Coordinates of all heavy atoms in Angstrom, one line a residue:
V1022 N -7.3 9.7 16.2 CA -7.4 8.5 15.4 C -7.3 7.4 16.5 O -6.4 7.5 17.4 CB -6.3 8.4 14.4 CG1 -6.2 7.0 13.8 CG2 -6.5 9.4 13.3
F1023 N -8.1 6.4 16.4 CA -8.1 5.2 17.3 C -7.7 4.0 16.5 O -8.4 3.7 15.5 CB -9.4 5.1 18.0 CG -9.9 6.3 18.7 CD1 -10.8 7.2 18.0 CD2 -9.5 6.6 19.9 CE1 -11.2 8.4 18.6 CE2 -9.9 7.8 20.6 CZ -10.8 8.7 19.9
A1024 N -6.8 3.2 17.0 CA -6.4 2.1 16.2 C -6.1 0.9 17.0 O -5.5 0.9 18.1 CB -5.2 2.5 15.4
T1025 N -6.4 -0.3 16.5 CA -5.9 -1.6 16.9 C -5.3 -2.1 15.6 O -5.5 -1.5 14.6 CB -7.1 -2.5 17.4 OG1 -7.7 -3.1 16.2 CG2 -8.1 -1.8 18.3
P1026 N -4.6 -3.2 15.7 CA -4.0 -3.7 14.5 C -5.1 -4.1 13.5 O -4.8 -4.4 12.4 CB -3.2 -4.9 14.9 CG -2.9 -4.7 16.3 CD -4.1 -4.0 16.9
Y1027 N -6.3 -4.1 13.9 CA -7.4 -4.7 13.1 C -8.3 -3.6 12.6 O -9.2 -3.9 11.7 CB -8.2 -5.7 13.8 CG -7.2 -6.8 14.3 CD1 -6.5 -6.7 15.5 CD2 -7.0 -7.9 13.5 CE1 -5.6 -7.6 15.8 CE2 -6.0 -8.8 13.8 CZ -5.3 -8.7 15.0 OH -4.4 -9.7 15.3
R1028 N -8.2 -2.4 13.1 CA -9.1 -1.4 12.6 C -8.6 0.0 13.0 O -7.8 0.2 13.9 CB -10.5 -1.5 13.2 CG -10.6 -1.1 14.7 CD -12.0 -1.3 15.3 NE -12.1 -2.7 15.7 CZ -13.3 -3.3 15.7 NH1 -14.4 -2.7 15.4 NH2 -13.4 -4.6 16.1
V1029 N -9.0 1.0 12.1 CA -8.6 2.3 12.4 C -9.9 3.2 12.3 O -10.7 3.0 11.4 CB -7.6 2.8 11.3 CG1 -7.3 4.3 11.6 CG2 -6.4 2.0 11.3
T1030 N -10.1 4.0 13.2 CA -11.3 4.9 13.1 C -10.9 6.2 13.7 O -9.8 6.4 14.3 CB -12.5 4.2 13.9 OG1 -13.6 5.1 13.8 CG2 -12.2 3.9 15.3
F1044 N -16.9 0.0 20.3 CA -16.4 -1.2 19.5 C -17.4 -2.3 19.7 O -17.3 -3.0 20.7 CB -15.0 -1.6 19.9 CG -14.0 -0.5 19.8 CD1 -13.7 0.4 20.7 CD2 -13.2 -0.5 18.6 CE1 -12.8 1.4 20.6 CE2 -12.2 0.5 18.4 CZ -12.0 1.4 19.4
Y1055 N -5.3 -8.6 22.0 CA -4.5 -7.4 21.8 C -5.0 -6.3 22.6 O -4.2 -5.6 23.3 CB -4.4 -7.1 20.3 CG -3.4 -5.9 20.1 CD1 -2.1 -6.1 19.7 CD2 -3.9 -4.6 20.2 CE1 -1.2 -5.1 19.5 CE2 -3.0 -3.5 20.0 CZ -1.7 -3.8 19.7 OH -0.8 -2.7 19.5
G1060 N -4.2 -2.5 24.5 CA -5.1 -1.5 24.5 C -5.4 -0.9 23.1 O -4.8 -1.3 22.1
V1061 N -6.3 0.0 23.1 CA -6.6 0.7 21.8 C -5.7 1.9 21.8 O -5.6 2.7 22.8 CB -8.1 1.2 21.8 CG1 -8.3 2.2 20.7 CG2 -9.0 0.0 21.8
S1062 N -4.9 2.1 20.8 CA -4.0 3.2 20.7 C -4.7 4.5 20.3 O -5.5 4.5 19.4 CB -2.9 2.9 19.8 OG -2.1 1.9 20.3
I1063 N -4.3 5.6 20.9 CA -4.9 6.9 20.6 C -3.9 7.8 20.0 O -2.8 8.0 20.6 CB -5.6 7.4 21.8 CG1 -6.5 6.4 22.4 CG2 -6.3 8.7 21.5 CD1 -7.0 6.8 23.8
F1064 N -4.2 8.4 18.9 CA -3.3 9.4 18.2 C -4.0 10.7 18.1 O -5.2 10.8 17.7 CB -3.0 8.9 16.8 CG -2.2 7.6 16.8 CD1 -2.9 6.4 16.9 CD2 -0.9 7.5 16.7 CE1 -2.3 5.2 16.9 CE2 -0.2 6.3 16.7 CZ -0.9 5.1 16.8
V1302 N 0.5 5.4 12.2 CA -0.4 4.7 13.1 C 0.0 3.2 13.0 O 0.1 2.6 14.1 CB -1.8 4.9 12.6 CG1 -2.7 4.0 13.5 CG2 -2.2 6.4 12.8
W1303 N 0.1 2.7 11.8 CA 0.3 1.3 11.7 C 1.6 0.9 12.3 O 1.7 -0.2 13.0 CB 0.4 0.9 10.2 CG 0.1 -0.5 9.9 CD1 1.0 -1.5 9.8 CD2 -1.2 -1.1 9.9 NE1 0.4 -2.7 9.6 CE2 -0.9 -2.5 9.7 CE3 -2.5 -0.7 10.0 CZ2 -2.0 -3.4 9.6 CZ3 -3.5 -1.6 9.9 CH2 -3.2 -2.9 9.7
M1306 N 1.2 0.2 15.8 CA 0.4 -0.9 16.1 C 1.2 -2.2 16.0 O 0.7 -3.3 16.5 CB -0.8 -1.0 15.2 CG -1.7 0.2 15.2 SD -2.0 0.9 16.8 CE -2.6 -0.6 17.6

Side-chain angles (χ1 to χ4, degrees):
V1022 170
F1023 304 95
T1025 78
Y1027 303 85
R1028 73 182 83 206
V1029 178
T1030 176
F1044 296 86
Y1055 183 95
V1061 171
S1062 294
I1063 305 169
F1064 298 83
V1302 172
W1303 200 264
M1306 303 316 305

